Amino acid sequence: MTGVRYGIHATGPLTFEASTSLLVSDREVYEPDGAGGVRRLGTANSYVGSAQVLVHLTVTGSRTWHGLAPFLLAGGGLTGDFAGPSDLEADFGAGDRYDFGPAMIVTLGAGTRWYVTDRLSFRLEGVFHLWRLTTPRSFVESVTELGPLSEHEWPGTVGIVGGVHLGF
């Protein structure tokens, strides 16, 4: 995943950030077979992008502890797959296709900045993302080998984010 984040220091421990990211990946395409099962059709390209607004709260305020400034962050925004439907899904009805987005995304995280000098710092954080995913009607109505599926789910991912800050 690649992304860009821009922050504006508000006051004391509070910073507001805007973030965009893009994940280039593959996804598996499945089709319900009508008998309660699913059939794997193949793999399709996926370009998952997101835009978020985050609130960043530095635990030590405007100070550091041995050059470290631990922080908490929370925010939200929109995410979606820019690739659209694949050729494998061309014959699917609207009720048979997963449409990933635009969907709401919520982010929680914690990390630290390490200030090497006044103009150079490194950032490392752990983040937890949740987004809303709607399950197609044909998957909800049948019990698959995956078990019963709910109409709306909130799948989550965990990630590690690193960055470098160069002040001028």
Side-chain angles (χ1 to χ4, degrees):
M1 179 181 281
T2 19
V4 175
R5 189 180 286 178
Y6 181 76
I8 296 175
H9 183 79
T11 181
L14 193 59
T15 300
F16 295 102
E17 298 178 340
S19 171
T20 62
S21 64
L22 179 66
L23 172 66
V24 178
S25 184
D26 294 326
R27 63 183 176 86
E28 299 294 323
V29 178
Y30 293 91
E31 178 181 36
D33 66 9
V38 292
R39 184 170 51 109
R40 183 181 177 278
L41 298 179
T43 304
N45 292 331
S46 181
Y47 303 104
V48 179
S50 70
Q52 298 183 66
V53 175
L54 302 158
V55 176
H56 173 127
L57 181 69
T58 304
V59 176
T60 56
S62 297
R63 301 182 193 132
T64 65
W65 177 77
H66 297 284
L68 298 175
F71 61 85
L72 301 171
L73 62 92
L78 293 175
T79 189
D81 189 352
F82 295 113
S86 76
D87 292 339
L88 297 170
E89 301 165 305
D91 297 333
F92 283 21
D96 295 335
R97 183 180 19 234
Y98 269 96
D99 288 324
F100 183 64
M104 186 171 69
I105 186 170
V106 176
T107 299
L108 300 171
T112 190
R113 278 197 174 139
W114 174 40
Y115 290 90
V116 180
T117 68
D118 288 344
R119 297 181 183 258
L120 174 66
S121 67
F122 296 96
R123 177 178 178 148
L124 184 65
E125 66 188 55
V127 291
F128 178 66
H129 301 287
L130 280 173
W131 62 84
R132 186 171 187 225
L133 184 62
T134 302
T135 305
R137 174 67 48 207
S138 59
F139 283 89
V140 173
E141 290 173 352
S142 65
V143 177
T144 67
E145 53 263 9
L146 303 173
L149 300 173
S150 63
E151 190 172 338
H152 299 287
E153 295 186 38
W154 286 85
T157 60
V158 177
I160 297 175
V161 178
V164 176
H165 174 262
L166 299 170
F168 296 101

